[in-house]
């Protein structure tokens, strides 16, 4: 960022959507004030995966990409295997990967270059901040090529290597993600496994792991035995530090995360937002149903988390088990609109109401918060959820939307409209590269609190058009 | 969930030759953990030795065949471990940092067993460094001024200390990837160039690793100041989002001049997202980053009130706040305790950065200052952070040098001391006695 001379004519104006103060020079937006959304990356980052097949590279690539996008860092993954599948329509056998297969080598190199070209377009032309280059990259020579590519383009390169020798882990990976691969769509499980094991062998002879001495000037993390230990070298900046922290907190132990809202509250019944009300009669019934549901699920070592608002705590109380209260799980702060109905917001703040519909993710209530703010405050919750195993999070509508968007990889535009109805538990179970979702309605009626985006989001719209999607209430 | 609830206490065991930064890391880590609310205490075995053997003679005390020396050193280690046990098992400590060389596998096994017997989780932190320049710099920074060398010249002290290091080298068994594969540890190499991390067991160990991987020893300074005087400051009102007063704008110009004169290399400037800090930064004419988490404490229902109005409308709240200003949360607002939790990412990024100027607010600045100056929760909300005064913090030895620079533009005083009477039945006058003057 260039420094500008101090100019007395620079005026601060508050952005009506995000309520942030921005400098204007003679009526035009002036530069050099940056919002620290989360981590401002100055030059783009190229993350390069390293490792034999079935070591979790794609699992890590996808998960890391999902996390970075959720915290607001535009990230994209580039899977070279996918480029190969697009080029060579039909996979025949492991022989494609034999080190002396000239044709195979030529195609694989072509795919790697095509992927790097797309990386360059994403980072240098499309405002991407981070690209994850997902391939084996098992030779020092290949890594040097990529590193030079990064240097030429002004990217910081960070290597992520996964090293694993445990045959049980590798076998489990093959079952989880290889048997269902497009490469093996016409094979039996046994045929696929046999072929894949031979595929791994093709790489082993030429595999040069990241070395403490030979690679001492590179920035990297070496993950050993699915996270038992890590070697971290030359972390260069904030984003690399966050990436390392994240990678050191994730695990692959099977578990489920249960998300739900508090039981229906007194203010829910009246169509009012926010506040710190207690549960309604039906809300209390839900709490009892939740207790029964949790018992029946017979979950091992379940942790229960709530916010510090009365309605989530009341809900947890019915479970009869210890629970932890997190202030950061509190519902979005609606500022001056706290405890209002949508009708009252339209009445008193029609402009605000319209701005919110125009960009619900970035819109910040006056003296309140935005969904974007929520995501930043929930990041420690996500980090701890990654560390934990079985957890039940009893929270709130906006908060639950943010957490759900992280697990289901929903972009910012969709996040504020995710459906999180009262009295419904979402059970999330990691599977393969994603997350299985089971939605369980606990059979206690409640009001609907979901307001869809109306057709007319213009500030000049009449009240009826603004309120057409407001759900019914007392 | 304040921050990290530790179920069983954690015993952190430092490992490394002398002058590898063990005590530096111990003290810094202890300071950080206490600040985020995890009761932590360090136990420096060298200090136990100094208390027992009144006068240090020479490195010969540390020779591996000095029976008398070995006996005393073992005695000190056991005394320190006993105090660890008392702190963790009887005094509600969560984390103890056992600061000694612990360079043999045998010694570490003894300590590990001690941990197991008492139900502690043990986490080793080893610092490995072979760079002679770093070691020489450490000796200058923290050894020459040690009580051990109070009667020696610098040359004598350095020579003796180098021989002291030699005493440990032959028996030094570094943490080994194979032999120690079942232990939980972080090995820090070359002052943070690389790290080997093994078997992180829980949340607190994960946070400790993250912290240790973000700190550095590159010399730098951190500048803390508040926004210039605001229109609400003049009226004795708290919070809100006002602009600068006339004098506040003058301060901003003085700050620009001050920063220029300091000639700081690659200075980063951070503000909150409130108008008054941004207006202040604008005068500097350099890029700045806005952090929402640097916003002033949210006074909830008391926002924009004077203390007189708070006493008038919420006398009970006002008294409760005086009774425990750190933990007190404004209705629909925040507490200092909440502030610390929200500021933790700022501290983490300040540790990563080099020269930074943070333009913030009174309560926020108190929290940040308490971290750097190791002030406990009881004192934090009463730290003096007057308007128009820059605090320049420079890490030195095991702590932080503070220079306070008043930029010569008058401003109201916004510091309200704790009054004598904090009872809920106190009179209005008693409650308002310490309120500073305002319009």
């Amino acid at each position: 960022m260039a420094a500008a001379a101090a100019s007395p004519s620079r005026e601060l104006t508050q952005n009506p959507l995000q309520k942030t103060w921005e400098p204007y020079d003679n009526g035009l937006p002036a530069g050099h004030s940056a919002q620290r959304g989360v981590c401002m990356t100055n030059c783009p980052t190229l993350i390069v995966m390293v490792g034999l097949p079935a070591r979790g590279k794609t699992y890590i690539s996808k998960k890391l990409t999902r996390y970075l996008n959720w915290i607001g860092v535009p990230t994209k993954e580039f899977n070279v295997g996918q480029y190969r599948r697009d080029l060579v329509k039909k996979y025949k056998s492991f022989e494609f990967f034999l080190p002396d297969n000239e044709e195979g080598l030529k195609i694989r190199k072509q795919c790697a270059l095509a992927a790097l070209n797309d990386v360059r377009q994403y980072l240098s032309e499309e405002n991407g901040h981070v690209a994850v280059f997902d391939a084996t990259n098992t030779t020092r020579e290949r890594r040097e090529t990529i590193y030079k590519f990064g240097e030429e383009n002004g990217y910081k390169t960070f290597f992520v290597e996964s090293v694993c020798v445990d045959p049980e882990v590798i076998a489990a990976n093959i079952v989880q993600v290889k048997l269902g691969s497009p490469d093996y769509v016409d094979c039996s499980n046994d045929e696929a496994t046999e072929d894949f094991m031979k595929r791994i062998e093709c790489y082993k002879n030429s595999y040069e792991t990241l070395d403490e001495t030979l690679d001492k000037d590179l920035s990297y993390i070496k993950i050993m035995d699915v996270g038992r230990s890590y070697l971290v070298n030359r972390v260069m900046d904030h984003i690399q530090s966050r990436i390392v922290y994240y990678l050191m907190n994730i695990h692959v132990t099977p578990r489920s995360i249960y998300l739900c809202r508090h039981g229906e509250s007194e203010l829910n019944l009246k169509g009012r937002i926010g506040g710190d009300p207690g549960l309604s009669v039906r809300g209390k019934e839900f709490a009892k149903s939740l207790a029964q549901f949790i018992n029946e699920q017979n979950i091992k070592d379940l942790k229960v988390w709530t916010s510090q608002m009365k309605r989530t705590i009341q809900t947890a109380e019915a479970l009869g088990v210890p629970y932890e209260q997190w202030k950061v799980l509190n519902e979005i702060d609606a500022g001056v609109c706290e405890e209002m109905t949508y009708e009252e917001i339209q009445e008193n703040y029609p402009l605000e109401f319209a701005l919110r519909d125009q960009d619900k993710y970035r819109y910040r209530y006056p003296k309140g918060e935005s969904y974007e703010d929520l995501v930043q405050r929930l990041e420690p919750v996500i980090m701890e959820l990654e560390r934990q195993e079985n957890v039940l999070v009893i929270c709130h509508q906006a908060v639950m939307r943010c957490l759900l968007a992280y697990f289901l990889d929903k972009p910012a535009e969709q996040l504020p409209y995710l459906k999180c109805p009262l009295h419904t538990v979402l059970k999330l179970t990691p599977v393969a590269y994603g997350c299985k979702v089971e939605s369980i309605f606990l059979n206690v009626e409640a009001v609907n609190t979901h307001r869809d985006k109306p057709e007319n989001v213009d500030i000049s719209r009449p009240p009826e058009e603004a309120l057409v999607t407001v759900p019914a209430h007392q």
Side-chain angles (χ1 to χ4, degrees), chain A residues 5 165 189 213 240 266 279 327 346 351 402 408 435 441 470:
Chain A
V165 293
N189 283 357
T213 315
Q240 290 182 15
E266 294 290 354
L279 298 180
K327 184 176 190 281
Q346 168 59 30
L351 171 62
C402 292
L408 301 188
C435 219
F441 173 61
V470 171

Side-chain angles (χ1 to χ4, degrees), chain A residues 54 75 78 101 109 194 240 265 267 308-309 357 393 406 420:
Chain A
T75 305
F78 299 82
N101 181 343
K109 180 133 200 194
E194 194 186 328
Q240 290 182 15
S265 77
L267 288 190
Q308 283 187 354
M309 295 180 144
D357 283 337
V393 185
Y406 167 76
C420 294

Side-chain angles (χ1 to χ4, degrees), chain A residues 192-354:
Chain A
T193 305
E194 194 186 328
D195 182 272
F196 199 83
M197 295 303 287
K198 291 186 184 146
R199 206 154 114 179
I200 298 175
E201 285 306 309
C202 294
Y203 287 87
K204 276 190 175 171
N205 279 346
S206 59
Y207 182 17
E208 295 168 297
T209 185
L210 285 170
D211 181 81
E212 273 187 76
T213 315
L214 294 172
D215 298 304
K216 65 175 169 54
D217 290 332
L218 298 181
S219 297
Y220 65 83
I221 178 171
K222 188 191 267 210
I223 305 169
M224 293 167 281
D225 295 326
V226 202
R228 181 148 304 163
S229 59
Y230 306 87
L231 182 63
V232 180
N233 199 60
R234 290 193 187 260
V235 169
M236 298 304 289
D237 60 14
H238 179 94
I239 188 75
Q240 290 182 15
S241 163
R242 294 287 286 276
I243 288 165
V244 164
Y245 184 43
Y246 181 73
L247 292 178
M248 288 176 57
N249 281 315
I250 61 179
H251 68 77
V252 293
T253 310
R255 51 79 174 254
S256 289
I257 294 166
Y258 299 78
L259 301 181
C260 72
R261 293 165 64 187
H262 52 83
E264 182 190 67
S265 77
E266 294 290 354
L267 288 190
N268 287 145
L269 279 176
K270 298 178 185 156
R272 294 185 173 282
I273 64 173
D276 193 16
L279 298 180
S280 67
V281 168
R282 299 192 297 193
K284 290 174 185 169
E285 264 193 70
F286 164 73
K288 289 189 201 135
S289 295
L290 183 63
Q292 194 182 337
F293 170 76
I294 291 300
N295 267 326
E296 286 163 6
Q297 287 275 307
N298 219 359
I299 307 154
K300 172 177 161 255
D301 292 331
L302 180 72
K303 299 268 172 79
V304 178
W305 298 351
T306 69
S307 70
Q308 283 187 354
M309 295 180 144
K310 186 174 179 182
R311 51 201 188 278
T312 57
I313 297 167
Q314 267 185 297
T315 308
E317 278 285 310
L319 304 181
V321 298
Y323 56 91
E324 277 181 54
Q325 298 183 19
W326 295 62
K327 184 176 190 281
V328 294
L329 282 174
N330 282 4
E331 182 55 316
I332 191 171
D333 184 356
V336 300
C337 298
E338 276 285 318
E339 302 197 42
M340 286 191 176
T341 60
Y342 290 119
E343 290 85 351
E344 285 165 3
I345 299 175
Q346 168 59 30
E347 172 85 33
N348 294 288
Y349 301 98
L351 171 62
E352 295 292 328
F353 202 38

Side-chain angles (χ1 to χ4, degrees), chain A residues 132 148 375 402 415:
Chain A
V132 185
K148 279 203 191 81
V375 161
C402 292
L415 186 159

Side-chain angles (χ1 to χ4, degrees), chain A residues 347-370:
Chain A
E347 172 85 33
N348 294 288
Y349 301 98
L351 171 62
E352 295 292 328
F353 202 38
L355 287 174
R356 184 158 208 253
D357 283 337
Q358 289 179 15
D359 191 345
K360 196 176 177 190
Y361 184 72
R362 276 166 211 83
Y363 171 82
R364 187 184 282 168
Y365 281 104
K367 302 191 179 177
E369 295 177 300
S370 62

Side-chain angles (χ1 to χ4, degrees), chain A residues 379-394:
Chain A
E379 200 264 352
V381 175
I382 288 298
M383 196 63 84
E384 190 58 19
L385 277 172
E386 286 295 346
R387 288 199 55 77
Q388 292 288 344
E389 294 185 17
N390 292 317
V391 186
L392 164 65
V393 185
I394 304 172

